[in-house]
Amino acid sequence: MEGLERHVRSWFASEKPAEIEHVISALSSGECTLLDIVKALGEYLTSEEDTLRTRGVQFLSLVIEGYPKEKLNRQAVHVLVTFYYTKLDDTETITPALKGLSHLVQSPALGSSDIPDLLNAMFTHVKMRVLVQSTRFFVFDTIDTLLKTHLDDLKAMGDQFVAGYAALASGEKDPRNLTVAFAIARVVLAEFDISKHVEDYFDITFCYFPITFRPPPNDPYGISADDLKSSLLPCLNATPAFGRLGVPLFLEKLTAGSPVTKRDTLRAMSLCLPVYGPSVARDLGPKIWSALKLEIFEPVDAATEKAALDTLQAFVRVLQSNPVAGDEGQPADMDDFVRTVCVDCLDAFGEPEKPQARAGMKILCSFLSIAQNLSSYAITQAAEKLVTIFHDPMEVSNRASVIVLLTDLLNSLAPPENLPTPDKPVVTASGSIPFSQDLLVSSKDAVLGLLTVGLNAPSTRVPSLHGLAALIRIPSAVTKDELGYIVLEVGEFVGKEPDDVEDATSDVLSLLSSIAVVAPQHLATHVLPPLFLALPDRPPPRDAHPQRTAYWNALGALSQLCTQPELFETFVIRLTTKLDLLCSPLPSASTNPPPADILNAEEMEPAAAYAHAILTALGNTLSAKVSKSRPDADVPKYINTLLPHLFRLCLEAAVAKDQRVFADMRLLRVVARIIRLVVEASPTASHNKFFSDLVSAYLDGQVKSITGGDFTFSSEEFNPMNAGTSTRQRNTVVLYTAAHVPMRRDVSLDTTKLSGRLVDLVTWCRSDSCTTSQREAASHMLASLVNKRADNIGDFLNHQLDDYWSNVVYNHTISASDRRNAVALWVSIARALLVRSHPSAMAFIDKLFILIDDGDEVGREAAHALGTLAIKDEVLAKRNHAILKVLYAQKYLDVVLPRILEAVQNVTGSRREAAYLVALASVLNAVPKALYLPQMTKLMPLLIRGLDLEDPALRVDIINILTNTVDAASDEKSSLSAYASTLVLVMLKNSMVADMPDPRVRSAALKYLALLPGVIRYDVLHPYKAQVLKELGKVLDDPRRAVRKEAVDARYKYAG
């Protein structure tokens, strides 16, 4: 006991929490009891001195707060509750007493008999308006706990509790307390009979609506306006009794509020109207409809309009839940006021060109999800009204607006997907329509007729096409015969000049493409034949522009329409036949006269252009089929049909002595694209045979294996990988590469010969006859094979690092151009290894640093290559089944950037410095800025040094880096401010045409100059204002318009 008293006295002297903890520990261990604590506090609890009395109650409350509540017995709880509520009439002890009660009521031992006395004492003595927030919180917390644990006891108090709490909660403003107060009110409204106190509870809940609270900056409590809104809304719709009081308040706020207030009000109405019931909705219906009609017909913004539509839906659902019919003869299952709403919307159609008409249609469309009878009424009446207006001779000028309204109606009936899918049939053989889709049946014929009539006039053609597209998206709405009729009507506009059909071509093709998904036979019968006839067998002459335009339009339409498997197969057959006709050889000198089917020299270029257009159409269609989320299943079969055919055409042209169309490199590139797409979509099983045949053709001379067994010339004549072969044959490596790039990793290859093949390919690139295109194709194939087969080509990698490096890349006795070409191949191999984080990657990169140290032309090429290594390309991509490791770019930067920084600081004023600055700029431009932003303090002086070098490309790269990081630098303005004068002067110098002939540099410098006022303090930049304005005045005479425009923008920033 003495120890207890010592702790009490010590706490009164110091208020150290440790003293409370000692007492709680002693109480928990049984060394003392609550009675002992009360005795030890006796003189303080009954002291005449207010401070001592307050602190005595506070000490007891702190002990109860820390003591386990389950250890309190009923007698102790009863005594303590009685003690605390007797202290509520003492203004000095009310705060610690309420705190003690808030913890004490959490005890399971709290008796039901204690609760009425406790609450009555609260209701009698606690005056909330004179208490601080924290004390008021104890009151709300106590009542909230009692509601959770002793709800039945509170219900037993009846009106005594209901009225008492309403008085306590009135006038609360602190958001920390309101979150609890709203939770309490929600339970009281839902569980208690408040019929005698409806207005009281309306006042303590609706007075806070709408919530306009804005939390202060850096609010430690983290209470947001949304938190308060989500707490208040369940109170507003907790009881139907609020209906006749709440709805007028909502309408008042809706009329006078801001857009945010309007949306909050509309959301609240949507939640409350179903609870308030049909009686309130019907009695206040005219006022509700008038307010909502205003928000929809004359919307403040799209979000408010959407909220008003949602509220109107809720309102109509409530009325339809207990419909009251109007005059006799009206359907009993449709509310009379809902019918009034529909009539008002239909009346708006009388002026279809006005926004109110579309608003009325939105309302009717929003009713479609409410009830079958209402949906049927809305659709039937709307369709009939619009059809009548369309055929009215006085409304001819408004026909386009009528069709737009009708399209909105049809779109509301269609599923949200853009196109129908096989599991959701659009047509039925008999034309039968399921009951769920029976909404349009009575007016479908009239609607279809209206839309087809609209196709005839230019002003209504595009809206009609949109309407038909919406109609066919409605499941089972049209029969196959009706689809055929639509195809006949719309097909007239296919293949025509855009000017002839008012540029409706894209809409026509889009509609027909949608139909092709479910009824391709109609397109095959009515649309495709005229398009195929528009493709001539022989190429039109150079000056035959109308004929060339005609086949371009026809191929464009065919490419878009023939994506479905049945149509695509016909498409391929017809186009490959055209290609065969174009592959006749040029006449020889001895042929006089030449056969009619042989092209002369003047026809060769038009023939190549025609073949290019055909191949491009094929490629575009294949791309559309392969790029789908689920690629079409028919594409892989063309690896055995289309590709051999194209290989035959290309390889025969390469071997032939005379001139052939398919020897053109431009055509080979398009064929390569087709090969890449087909191989990409094909499974591994198809790849195995295909690549076996491909390798046999290109390396073993068995050319017929890849051409489907047909080849006009001797197989031995085709030897493209021979260094001395013709340019035509070497060009076909583009096709060889196109097949390898998308090759799957699990394709069977002879790995024992792979290293040798790659060495031969690198040697092939060293040939004097190797062109840029050939070398680029070879580098792509190298990159793909090295990336996917790095574990099987150790001999090749060692050969490159040893022999190829010393004999070619680092051999100063050969020409610089040959070495640059070798560096390009080297980079392709290095990048293929880098993206898969192969251990050998850094060995190849280390060699590039050796080249940079030379500081010569090849060294600068290697410096640029360091950035190229980190850039994503189309070859090493996931769609091509390349191996890509995450964060490879960041790991690369972590290794390379420190080496560049160290080197550039040690080679000041030399050619090596320029090379390393090129490397720095190239690397930073290639990686995301987030990877190097933390090091901008070190990088800034180096980048500024790079702006003094003569290389325009380097300057552009550096200025782009500075521009990309200027926003991030604004968070650390001091770092930019330190270089403000230098940056301003160097950018002005780079913007002058006399100092910098390259317009790219001038434009980039001016853009950066315009950004500086936004990120550098005014007092730092102001001394240069006059100089900047003077120099920019000179730039206004720059010969390039784009540069002058940037100068004007920069002057405006500094002049303002």
Side-chain angles (χ1 to χ4, degrees), residues 423-445:
D423 57 338
K424 299 175 78 173
V426 174
V427 296
T428 58
S430 62
S432 61
I433 301 177
F435 177 75
S436 61
Q437 303 297 334
D438 198 28
L439 302 174
L440 194 64
V441 63
S442 61
S443 52
K444 184 191 68 173
D445 292 341

Side-chain angles (χ1 to χ4, degrees), residues 870-941:
I871 297 176
K872 294 181 178 179
D873 66 10
E874 295 182 357
V875 175
L876 299 176
K878 284 292 185 183
R879 67 176 296 173
N880 291 328
H881 312 291
I883 301 175
L884 301 175
K885 299 294 185 181
V886 295
L887 300 179
Y888 77 86
Q890 183 172 351
K891 295 173 184 176
Y892 170 69
L893 187 68
D894 291 343
V895 173
V896 171
L897 188 56
R899 292 181 63 176
I900 297 176
L901 293 177
E902 181 182 0
V904 78
Q905 290 167 356
N906 295 331
V907 292
T908 305
S910 67
R911 290 191 307 168
R912 292 171 60 199
E913 178 195 20
Y916 275 108
L917 287 174
V918 169
L920 177 65
S922 181
V923 169
L924 296 183
N925 255 324
V927 298
K929 65 181 180 180
L931 298 182
Y932 60 83
L933 270 179
Q935 303 189 55
M936 278 303 293
T937 304
K938 296 179 183 178
L939 296 173
M940 186 65 80

Side-chain angles (χ1 to χ4, degrees), residues 505-670:
T505 304
S506 60
D507 297 296
V508 168
L509 296 179
S510 177
L511 173 59
L512 292 175
S513 298
S514 300
I515 296 175
V517 175
V518 291
Q521 69 276 9
H522 291 306
L523 271 73
T525 304
H526 304 300
V527 177
L528 299 191
L531 291 175
F532 286 126
L533 285 176
L535 302 179
D537 293 339
R538 311 296 291 176
R542 257 181 213 275
D543 55 355
H545 298 298
Q547 290 89 334
R548 295 173 69 183
T549 302
Y551 77 65
W552 285 338
N553 291 338
L555 287 171
L558 287 166
S559 177
Q560 187 168 342
L561 295 176
C562 295
T563 57
Q564 297 307 307
E566 302 91 329
L567 302 181
F568 183 69
E569 185 171 9
T570 303
F571 182 56
V572 170
I573 293 172
R574 298 295 292 268
L575 293 196
T576 51
T577 302
K578 298 295 181 183
L579 293 174
D580 288 337
L581 295 173
L582 292 174
C583 289
S584 303
L586 277 176
S588 63
S590 60
T591 307
N592 188 22
D597 63 340
I598 294 182
L599 298 172
N600 59 43
E602 293 182 357
E603 292 179 304
M604 188 56 65
E605 182 62 24
Y610 186 25
H612 188 278
I614 291 174
L615 292 169
T616 300
L618 268 174
N620 291 341
T621 309
L622 274 170
S623 179
K625 293 168 70 66
V626 172
S627 300
K628 296 178 181 179
S629 57
R630 299 173 66 180
D632 288 347
D634 65 311
V635 175
K637 75 178 184 180
Y638 292 101
I639 199 171
N640 299 318
T641 55
L642 176 61
L643 296 197
H645 196 116
L646 295 177
F647 267 109
R648 179 180 64 79
L649 296 177
C650 295
L651 301 190
E652 285 184 350
V655 173
K657 303 301 181 182
D658 46 22
Q659 190 174 357
R660 298 289 183 94
V661 172
F662 271 82
D664 193 308
M665 189 63 180
R666 294 168 295 182
L667 269 64
L668 292 178
R669 291 195 182 98
V670 187

Side-chain angles (χ1 to χ4, degrees), residues 636-761:
K637 75 178 184 180
Y638 292 101
I639 199 171
N640 299 318
T641 55
L642 176 61
L643 296 197
H645 196 116
L646 295 177
F647 267 109
R648 179 180 64 79
L649 296 177
C650 295
L651 301 190
E652 285 184 350
V655 173
K657 303 301 181 182
D658 46 22
Q659 190 174 357
R660 298 289 183 94
V661 172
F662 271 82
D664 193 308
M665 189 63 180
R666 294 168 295 182
L667 269 64
L668 292 178
R669 291 195 182 98
V670 187
V671 172
R673 180 192 178 207
I674 294 172
I675 293 171
R676 188 167 61 251
L677 289 168
V678 174
V679 174
E680 176 188 334
S682 301
T684 303
S686 299
H687 280 204
N688 287 327
K689 181 180 185 305
F690 175 75
F691 279 99
S692 175
D693 295 341
L694 185 68
V695 171
S696 297
Y698 271 80
L699 300 183
D700 302 331
Q702 299 177 17
V703 67
K704 291 185 178 181
S705 61
I706 196 63
T707 61
D710 296 328
F711 195 68
T712 306
F713 304 93
S714 171
S715 296
E716 290 75 14
E717 297 182 54
F718 182 68
N719 191 10
M721 305 311 293
N722 189 312
T725 194
S726 67
T727 300
R728 284 191 191 180
Q729 292 198 33
R730 291 175 64 89
N731 282 342
T732 62
V733 77
V734 173
L735 312 181
Y736 194 40
T737 295
H740 277 83
V741 167
M743 178 180 65
R744 298 179 184 272
R745 283 173 272 177
D746 52 354
V747 171
S748 298
L749 291 179
D750 188 352
T751 55
T752 60
K753 298 180 180 179
L754 188 55
S755 288
R757 285 174 51 193
L758 295 178
V759 171
D760 293 341
L761 184 60

